[in-house]
């Protein structure tokens, strides 16, 4: 099962880029079609568990994002959606990446906002990125 999601933007200055197909615990396949408006791309990602089987079990998406092209990017937002075994959306978390003007590539970590039994339900994820010039 593969999924594509777009991050909804409320402003015309916010540009959205689909960042790939993500299966259950799988790495990104990359975008199916290159988007000429794409400013930032998720170049790798994975679902990471810690404390598995305990009351403190946590789940996060860790990955690497990279600026595409030469334009100066001032704002980057990464959104992760977390899914259960039936492919039902459990929760969505959005993280803003600070200080992207000096870096062309950076790591990110987006934590699922619940832990323990609720974190154990997470079986898949998707990740998107939005930027502003």
């Amino acid at each position: 099962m593969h999924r594509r999601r777009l991050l909804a933007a409320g402003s015309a200055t916010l540009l959205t880029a689909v960042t790939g197909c993500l299966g259950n615990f799988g790495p990104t396949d990359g975008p199916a079609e290159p988007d000429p408006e794409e400013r930032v791309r998720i170049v790798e990602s994975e679902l990471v568990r810690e404390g598995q089987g305990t009351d403190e079990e946590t789940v996060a998406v860790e990955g690497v994002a990279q600026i595409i092209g030469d334009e100066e990017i001032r704002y980057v937002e990464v959104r992760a959606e977390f899914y259960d075994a039936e492919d039902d959306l459990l929760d969505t978390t959005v993280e803003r990446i600070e200080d992207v003007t000096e870096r062309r590539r950076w790591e990110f970590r987006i934590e699922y906002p619940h832990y323990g039994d609720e974190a154990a339900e997470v079986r898949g994820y998707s990740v998107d990125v939005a930027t502003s010039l």
Side-chain angles (χ1 to χ4, degrees), residues 8-81:
S11 165
T13 62
L14 195 61
L15 302 173
T16 303
V18 176
T19 59
C21 299
L22 298 172
N24 292 341
F25 304 102
T28 181
D29 294 344
E33 298 289 330
D35 182 348
E37 298 297 317
E38 184 177 41
R39 306 284 190 255
V40 176
R41 178 179 301 151
I42 303 297
V43 294
E44 61 185 73
S45 67
E46 67 178 321
L47 194 64
V48 177
R49 290 185 185 279
E50 295 175 1
Q52 192 166 357
T54 70
D55 289 340
E56 276 103 46
E57 180 171 346
T58 61
V59 178
V61 174
E62 293 181 350
V64 176
Q66 180 174 337
I67 294 177
I68 307 301
D70 296 326
E71 292 177 293
E72 182 177 321
I73 306 291
R74 292 180 292 169
Y75 174 86
V76 175
E77 190 175 86
V78 180
R79 179 175 94 169
E81 293 182 333

